[in-house]
Amino acid sequence: MYKLTRDQLGEVSLALTALLVLFVSFQLNFFGAAPNDFFEFHQRDSESLVLGRVVETRQNGYFSNEGFLGVYADQNKVDYQYKAYSLNLKPESNFNVYTSSAGLQGFFYSFLDGILTLCGVDSGSAKLIISKSTTSFMLAAMLALFILLIKKNFGYLPASLTFSLAAISQWVVVFSNNLYWMFFLIFLPFVAVFYFLSNESKIKDNFKRCCIFIFLAIFIKSLAGYEYISTILISTVVPLVFFSIRNDWGARIFIKRLFILGTAGLLGFIAAVSIHAIQLGYRFGGLKSGFSAILSNVSARTHGDSSAKNGLIKESLESNAFDVLSIYWHGKAFDLNALLGVNLIIEFSQIIIFLLLISVLGWLLVNLRSELRNYKKDNFAAIVALWFSILAPISWYVLAKGHSYIHYHMNHVLWYVPFLLFGFVYTGFFARLFVKLLFQINIKGKIVFISAGLFFFLAAFILINYPQNEKNKTLAKSFGFLSALNKGDVQLFYFGKNLIYISKECNSSLDVNFFLHTYPSDNRRMDAARKPHGFDNLDFGWQSKQLFSYTEGVIPFWNKICVASIELKNYPIKSLATGQFNEKGQLWESRLEFSNSRFVDEFLMQNVSDHNWSNGVSKVHPGFFVENTFANRQSLRIGDYLEFASSGARVIESLEYSDNYINIFVSGDLLEPETDGFPNKVVLRLEK
């Protein structure tokens, strides 16, 4: 009977633990890596395309509508696809296809749906849970394999740290069980190359098999969508870089393998594009039309001609690549409030700076300390591979600039493919070097080494925290002041749509609930349930509404200032009452009156032109629209005079409020879009 060695038993235990931890995080958000709403609703619109396709397949077969993903027409388009799938409905409305990809997801999950039906699972809700669990499990299993490979190449500490950090990475978690993204396909090529090269000495014709597998992996991923393809292709090169340095391949072998592997991936991509073009050809009447549709789609997402586009697509194509990179540089990586209840946001920029610092320190340690010189090659290979891997996400941010500009709500996940994943590995490897050196030096050396390490990490923390702290301070200075509350302990501001509370005492006093009662200028705008009370109840707990915190100095957590943001109703108010209360009653209260307050006297129309509007000016009625902010809605009233650049003084006759905009209709004839509209300003005159 075969008996596992101690090391093999440890590897099995590590892999199973990683699989379990990752699966429960991916499927259930078990560790609270992401806020619940973010986890539940992220990319439902994309996932609804797959559910709509499965419902279509149930009724009309795999190849109806050329097999494309899509949705059934309905007023609540996204929710209806979930309803139709879960309740096994047979929609009679039009099936609107999504032709930007071949739609492999529809075939895969329709097949799984059929298998579940044969197994006696008829409940659509149960099928959805099983489908999402399958997706989570496949990603968890793939990353568990990667964790096992990391253990073999770097040790237990880097492997354990990598799966722990991956399990609490909110961007990976919110994508992990989404049926559209099938995120295991995005990591598959990288993990596959790492696997084959890790076992090169054990498997005959290993690299040939690797290339065949990469052809298939890229082919399959591309059939499920071309999103992130440059990132995925570059990610396959990262293991090549690492093993070429560690195993002394030499430049000739590296370049040869790079060419062969790149060719395999490119051929897989071309094969998928060809199949997609054939699909489109059937739909649009010819192969040429199919390829033209693909090229048009690529152009809209990269650096195409903006002159033929409108709205956000036009804006995205005209955007600057550095501005796009800045969006992702400052993205939110870890929300420790969701994870640990600690008010701290860690940006990707801070992690990147931290990785740069430990890369430099790690290089110094292995080159200056004789105790660590056996790790010199491994360390150098890991550092080079790590910083090469940052090209993978950056490639998409730059090459697919248009896509990245529009989809800033999701493309942050690319930092993990595979840059941050490899960054977690190197962080663990650095920690291993640090601990190993600590155990090999004398007591005096330990004291010096630990002191230097503490100083380094304190300095690193301050350096990493400083940019975000300065950004928060600058933002706080842009708030509009309203009043000091509770003897100045709390101050009230406005910003955008919201009220802003600022407290210079970030302590347990903020754990006591706040009440906020707003009294509308016109009670008819209130919800029916609130009309008998005469005010809207916006009571809140500080922690659930905290926006950020900052310090006036450079030392984190020293004299910290806390900022909370409360979204108001979309209509103007005449007054408010706010304070704190507990089970015994009110602790303090302040009242503010706004009946005679105006906050701005100039307004900028929205830069929107479509079939109803031109430069923010209505084509149908004498009117225009502006952003719905606290300052704007509190400053505009029926009967006020507005001075236009060309049309002169007009009286406000009516105001309409939505969540984002205020429609303002005035007396007289239609306004002039070119001379009155954006970018011309409208001036408030209280008297004609």
Side-chain angles (χ1 to χ4, degrees):
M1 181 178 177
Y2 180 76
K3 187 176 181 181
L4 292 175
T5 66
R6 183 177 178 180
D7 190 53
Q8 288 173 328
L9 186 61
E11 289 179 349
V12 170
S13 300
L14 174 68
L16 291 177
T17 301
L19 179 62
L20 176 62
V21 169
L22 292 169
F23 175 72
V24 297
S25 180
F26 294 164
Q27 182 60 22
L28 305 173
N29 190 28
F30 186 79
F31 304 104
N36 285 331
D37 286 350
F38 188 28
F39 178 73
E40 291 292 335
F41 298 107
H42 180 68
Q43 285 293 287
R44 274 171 63 89
D45 53 344
S46 296
E47 189 171 66
S48 70
L49 294 168
V50 180
L51 299 182
R53 176 66 246 182
V54 176
V55 174
E56 171 68 8
T57 301
R58 288 174 182 171
Q59 295 188 92
N60 300 310
Y62 284 95
F63 296 101
S64 64
N65 286 289
E66 291 76 39
F68 285 119
L69 303 179
V71 293
Y72 286 95
D74 189 83
Q75 185 175 359
N76 298 313
K77 181 176 67 175
V78 173
D79 290 339
Y80 182 71
Q81 314 312 311
Y82 285 86
K83 180 180 178 181
Y85 178 92
S86 299
L87 300 180
N88 295 313
L89 301 182
K90 295 182 177 180
E92 296 181 357
S93 57
N94 291 332
F95 183 72
N96 300 318
V97 298
Y98 175 78
T99 59
S100 293
S101 73
L104 177 71
Q105 305 95 317
F107 290 91
F108 179 81
Y109 290 107
S110 293
F111 179 75
L112 179 59
D113 183 79
I115 294 296
L116 291 173
T117 300
L118 290 175
C119 293
V121 180
D122 296 320
S123 167
S125 298
K127 288 180 176 179
L128 182 59
I129 293 172
I130 294 171
S131 295
K132 292 176 80 70
S133 296
T134 300
T135 309
S136 296
F137 182 83
M138 293 177 78
L139 178 59
M142 186 169 304
L143 291 182
L145 171 61
F146 178 68
I147 298 305
L148 191 57
L149 296 172
I150 293 305
K151 181 271 160 189
K152 291 178 180 292
N153 287 279
F154 293 97
Y156 279 106
L157 182 56
S160 300
L161 186 66
T162 300
F163 85 72
S164 299
L165 291 176
I168 59 171
S169 295
Q170 63 171 346
W171 287 101
V172 178
V173 170
V174 298
F175 273 94
S176 57
N177 69 3
N178 189 283
L179 305 188
Y180 175 84
W181 287 100
M182 300 177 77
F183 219 71
F184 56 89
L185 292 180
I186 291 175
F187 279 114
L188 175 60
F190 165 71
V191 175
V193 178
F194 207 98
Y195 169 79
F196 280 109
L197 295 182
S198 291
N199 294 280
E200 190 165 23
S201 61
K202 302 176 184 178
I203 305 174
K204 186 178 180 181
D205 296 327
N206 187 61
F207 191 69
K208 184 186 295 184
R209 296 185 183 190
C210 176
C211 292
I212 294 171
F213 192 93
I214 290 304
F215 168 83
L216 294 172
I218 298 297
F219 173 68
I220 292 169
K221 167 61 188 85
S222 298
L223 288 177
Y226 306 118
E227 295 94 345
Y228 311 152
I229 193 64
S230 67
T231 298
I232 296 167
L233 288 171
I234 293 176
S235 75
T236 64
V237 183
V238 175
L240 279 181
V241 172
F242 174 74
F243 286 103
S244 69
I245 296 173
R246 200 181 77 161
N247 296 341
D248 294 319
W249 288 357
R252 182 174 173 275
I253 294 177
F254 173 75
I255 293 171
K256 178 182 177 182
R257 289 188 163 190
L258 175 62
F259 176 78
I260 295 172
L261 188 70
T263 301
L266 186 60
L267 288 174
F269 175 73
I270 292 172
V273 170
S274 300
I275 289 177
H276 185 202
I278 292 171
Q279 276 181 287
L280 291 168
Y282 274 110
R283 186 164 193 86
F284 296 131
L287 193 59
K288 183 178 179 180
S289 298
F291 278 111
S292 295
I294 293 173
L295 289 174
S296 176
N297 193 35
V298 170
S299 175
R301 285 159 170 77
T302 53
H303 294 258
D305 181 12
S306 65
S307 61
K309 305 297 181 181
N310 294 310
L312 189 58
I313 293 178
K314 178 181 177 69
E315 188 179 326
S316 71
L317 293 174
E318 293 176 348
S319 64
N320 183 288
F322 290 103
D323 292 336
V324 173
L325 285 172
S326 179
I327 294 171
Y328 294 97
W329 174 259
H330 291 294
K332 184 192 298 184
F334 292 98
D335 183 351
L336 298 190
N337 188 41
L339 271 170
L340 304 172
V342 176
N343 178 45
L344 184 63
I345 300 297
I346 299 177
E347 289 188 354
F348 289 107
S349 61
Q350 295 169 314
I351 297 176
I352 294 169
I353 293 171
F354 172 77
L355 291 174
L356 180 61
L357 290 172
I358 64 169
S359 296
V360 172
L361 190 58
W363 185 86
L364 290 173
L365 283 178
V366 298
N367 282 278
L368 298 179
R369 300 295 307 193
S370 59
E371 299 92 337
L372 299 177
R373 285 181 181 171
N374 289 339
Y375 296 92
K376 199 170 181 178
K377 188 179 291 184
D378 284 356
N379 184 69
F380 182 65
I383 290 174
V384 174
L386 170 64
W387 292 105
F388 176 84
S389 71
I390 199 172
L391 297 176
I394 288 176
S395 71
W396 187 263
Y397 297 147
V398 174
L399 296 176
K401 174 174 64 72
H403 184 275
S404 296
Y405 182 88
I406 294 173
H407 295 90
Y408 62 88
H409 57 285
M410 65 187 205
N411 285 0
H412 291 93
V413 73
L414 290 183
W415 284 121
Y416 295 88
V417 189
F419 173 64
L420 284 189
L421 198 63
F422 216 80
F424 298 158
V425 173
Y426 187 74
T427 301
F429 185 62
F430 173 81
R432 181 186 173 195
L433 295 177
F434 190 91
V435 172
K436 187 172 186 65
L437 182 59
L438 194 61
F439 279 101
Q440 292 186 3
I441 56 180
N442 58 34
I443 295 296
K444 183 178 178 180
K446 282 183 172 65
I447 294 172
V448 172
F449 196 61
I450 291 173
S451 300
L454 291 174
F455 175 79
F456 168 79
F457 282 106
L458 176 61
F461 190 79
I462 292 173
L463 180 62
I464 291 169
N465 185 71
Y466 181 77
Q468 180 62 45
N469 192 66
E470 290 301 299
K471 179 181 173 183
N472 290 342
K473 278 201 293 187
T474 300
L475 179 58
K477 289 177 182 177
S478 68
F479 298 157
F481 179 73
L482 288 175
S483 178
L485 311 174
N486 192 27
K487 300 178 182 179
D489 289 345
V490 177
Q491 293 181 316
L492 192 63
F493 296 77
Y494 64 89
F495 182 75
K497 305 177 188 179
N498 299 355
L499 283 183
I500 303 293
Y501 288 70
I502 293 184
S503 174
K504 293 187 176 181
E505 300 294 331
C506 290
N507 53 34
S508 58
S509 66
L510 298 181
D511 294 336
V512 181
N513 285 332
F514 283 73
F515 67 87
L516 173 59
H517 300 162
T518 60
Y519 297 81
S521 300
D522 184 348
N523 282 11
R524 289 174 297 179
R525 300 188 185 280
M526 298 178 66
D527 294 336
R530 296 304 308 172
K531 284 182 179 178
H533 303 279
F535 64 87
D536 286 305
N537 187 341
L538 303 177
D539 297 356
F540 65 95
W542 188 283
Q543 289 300 323
S544 65
K545 298 297 182 180
Q546 181 149 313
L547 189 62
F548 59 78
S549 65
Y550 65 94
T551 58
E552 291 293 351
V554 298
I555 301 177
F557 308 119
W558 188 268
N559 293 328
K560 189 167 69 169
I561 298 170
C562 288
V563 180
S565 176
I566 314 300
E567 185 173 354
L568 299 176
K569 299 293 184 178
N570 62 20
Y571 41 76
I573 59 176
K574 63 184 179 183
S575 62
L576 68 79
T578 188
Q580 284 183 281
F581 68 97
N582 58 22
E583 65 278 359
K584 296 180 181 179
Q586 290 185 3
L587 302 180
W588 61 270
E589 179 180 6
S590 293
R591 289 181 174 269
L592 280 72
E593 294 289 335
F594 299 111
S595 298
N596 298 315
S597 300
R598 306 290 182 119
F599 294 89
V600 290
D601 57 12
E602 289 186 339
F603 305 92
L604 184 65
M605 299 185 195
Q606 292 293 289
N607 183 19
V608 173
S609 297
D610 56 25
H611 61 283
N612 291 321
W613 305 90
S614 178
N615 294 333
V617 171
S618 173
K619 295 179 179 180
V620 182
H621 305 286
F624 64 101
F625 73 107
V626 297
E627 185 180 1
N628 189 346
T629 66
F630 176 83
N632 282 349
R633 62 177 173 257
Q634 293 298 131
S635 301
L636 289 164
R637 294 170 195 172
I638 294 174
D640 286 345
Y641 285 91
L642 296 176
E643 186 80 29
F644 293 89
S646 175
S647 298
R650 302 286 187 92
V651 179
I652 298 178
E653 294 188 339
S654 67
L655 296 165
E656 295 178 355
Y657 302 93
S658 66
D659 287 342
N660 296 315
Y661 304 111
I662 304 173
N663 293 339
I664 305 157
F665 298 102
V666 297
S667 60
D669 298 329
L670 293 177
L671 300 173
E672 296 292 336
E674 296 302 322
T675 52
D676 289 325
F678 181 90
N680 298 291
K681 291 185 178 180
V682 183
V683 180
L684 174 66
R685 308 287 189 201
L686 298 183
E687 297 180 358
K688 189 171 181 180

